[in-house]
Amino acid sequence: MKDITEYEKDLSSIRNMMERSVKFISLSGISGVMAGIYALIGATTAYFTIHYPVSPLNYRTYSVNERTILIKLSIIAIIVLTASIGTALWFSQRKAKKHKVSLWNTTSKRLLQSVITPLVTGGLLIIILLANGHYGVAAPASLIFYGLALIQAGQYTYDEIRYLGFCEIVIGLIAAALPGFGLIFWALGFGVLHVIYGSVMHYRYDK
Amino acid sequence: MKNPFDLLDRVLEHRLRLQIMSVLVANDSYDFNSLKELMNVTDGNLATHIKALEKEKYISVSKSFVDRKPKTKYKVTEKGRTAFKKHIDALELLIKQQGK
């Protein structure tokens, strides 16, 4: 017969196994902070591309409809996205190594499967609407679909990511209600929120 | 009153087996290599305990080929799920009684 503390260890090892077999825990807080910083740099660059030297309060005086500006904005967005994903992969790889697990495992595959549908749907919708001249939807739609993807992701990684998802959706909806301030809300959602979320996660799990 | 020690499942008394079961209860299915990585154990050690659980019909095995590499997947059976739940209940009872 085993000692009672052994049974307690049994129970805690079960909890630990269940948690680790379902959740992808190699996401790093720092990569969230970095993604936020890239987004803020991107938003600032975009602001100067569109509005310079007009003040932000004059947003509605003219809208973004020139092809060259649109192409420039798309390039900025793609650079921000690529840099963020690259950084996330790099930091996750490091964290996975530390935990002695592989980056590409059952949990990361499931995580990817859960976010791919909302992200691809949202991405295609935005491209279609942009092609039809509905430039105003880019910011709110990207925030909302990203938020939905994060809420899905909550099943397969840290629970806290859901709160980030809800915040993104709220900001996306406000952005939709206040057309013309898309860039500000975009900077808020993808920039400021990521920095806050990333720092919280870093202090909670990575220290 | 019944002794809670009698309620424990002898097959599941081994911690590694209990861990295998907990992974399979929490997930639809899990393959051998992912289990090995997750639990940080050797092939032989894992295989031995999987065999024991298989023998009790607590888990079921399905073998397939992915990119010409064999892939062995495990699922928990209804019998296994019930046994696991009973065992956990007994563990909880034991710990609760001890606390009194």
Side-chain angles (χ1 to χ4, degrees), chain B residues 58-93:
Chain B
Y58 283 0
I59 60 176
S60 65
V61 191
S62 70
K63 287 184 182 164
S64 62
F65 283 85
V66 178
D67 297 330
R68 271 181 281 169
K69 275 181 232 145
K71 188 165 184 170
T72 317
K73 271 181 155 184
Y74 300 97
K75 278 183 182 216
V76 68
T77 61
E78 255 340 285
K79 191 185 173 199
R81 197 181 293 274
T82 316
F84 179 76
K85 199 181 167 292
K86 270 195 187 148
H87 187 76
I88 304 266
D89 288 344
L91 284 180
E92 271 178 351
L93 195 64

Side-chain angles (χ1 to χ4, degrees), chain A residues 4-82:
Chain A
I4 203 77
T5 55
E6 286 298 307
Y7 291 119
E8 278 170 359
K9 274 191 205 152
D10 274 356
L11 274 184
S12 78
S13 86
I14 291 170
R15 179 169 307 156
N16 178 281
M17 268 305 144
M18 285 182 153
E19 186 86 7
R20 283 209 302 149
S21 66
V22 176
K23 305 223 164 197
F24 178 68
I25 49 156
S26 300
L27 272 184
S28 114
I30 293 290
S31 59
V33 175
M34 295 303 288
I37 292 171
Y38 299 152
L40 288 175
I41 296 171
T44 313
T45 320
Y47 169 72
F48 282 111
T49 315
I50 311 166
H51 297 287
Y52 192 75
V54 183
S55 102
L57 296 172
N58 294 343
Y59 262 7
R60 288 305 280 168
T61 52
Y62 65 109
S63 58
V64 188
N65 49 19
E66 293 160 48
R67 225 153 238 291
T68 49
I69 286 188
L70 201 66
I71 290 169
K72 274 187 202 162
L73 290 182
S74 309
I75 292 172
I76 294 171
I78 289 167
I79 292 175
V80 169
L81 187 67
T82 316

Side-chain angles (χ1 to χ4, degrees), chain A residues 8 17 19 21 59 83 89 95 106 111 120-121 139-140 146-147 149 159-161 163 165 184 189 191 198-199 204 206:
Chain A
E8 278 170 359
M17 268 305 144
E19 186 86 7
S21 66
Y59 262 7
L89 283 177
K95 202 171 158 186
T106 312
L111 179 63
V120 171
T121 312
Y146 181 58
D159 282 333
E160 290 90 334
I161 209 161
Y163 300 118
I184 289 182
S199 340
R204 195 171 277 187
D206 298 348

Side-chain angles (χ1 to χ4, degrees), chain A residues 1-2 4 6-11 13-14 17-18 20-22 100-102 105-107 110, chain B residues 5 8 13 15 18-19 22-23 25-27 29-30 34 37-39 84 88 91-92 94-95 98:
Chain A
M1 215 172 271
K2 289 198 268 184
I4 203 77
E6 286 298 307
Y7 291 119
E8 278 170 359
K9 274 191 205 152
D10 274 356
L11 274 184
S13 86
I14 291 170
M17 268 305 144
M18 285 182 153
R20 283 209 302 149
S21 66
V22 176
K100 294 200 177 71
V101 296
S102 58
N105 62 15
T106 312
T107 54
R110 283 194 200 147
Chain B
F5 281 103
L8 289 173
E13 286 239 46
R15 187 167 300 150
L18 200 55
Q19 289 179 336
S22 60
V23 172
V25 166
N27 297 271
S29 70
Y30 234 75
S34 306
E37 184 190 281
L38 185 70
M39 302 207 255
F84 179 76
I88 304 266
L91 284 180
E92 271 178 351
L94 267 174
I95 291 164
Q98 196 70 13

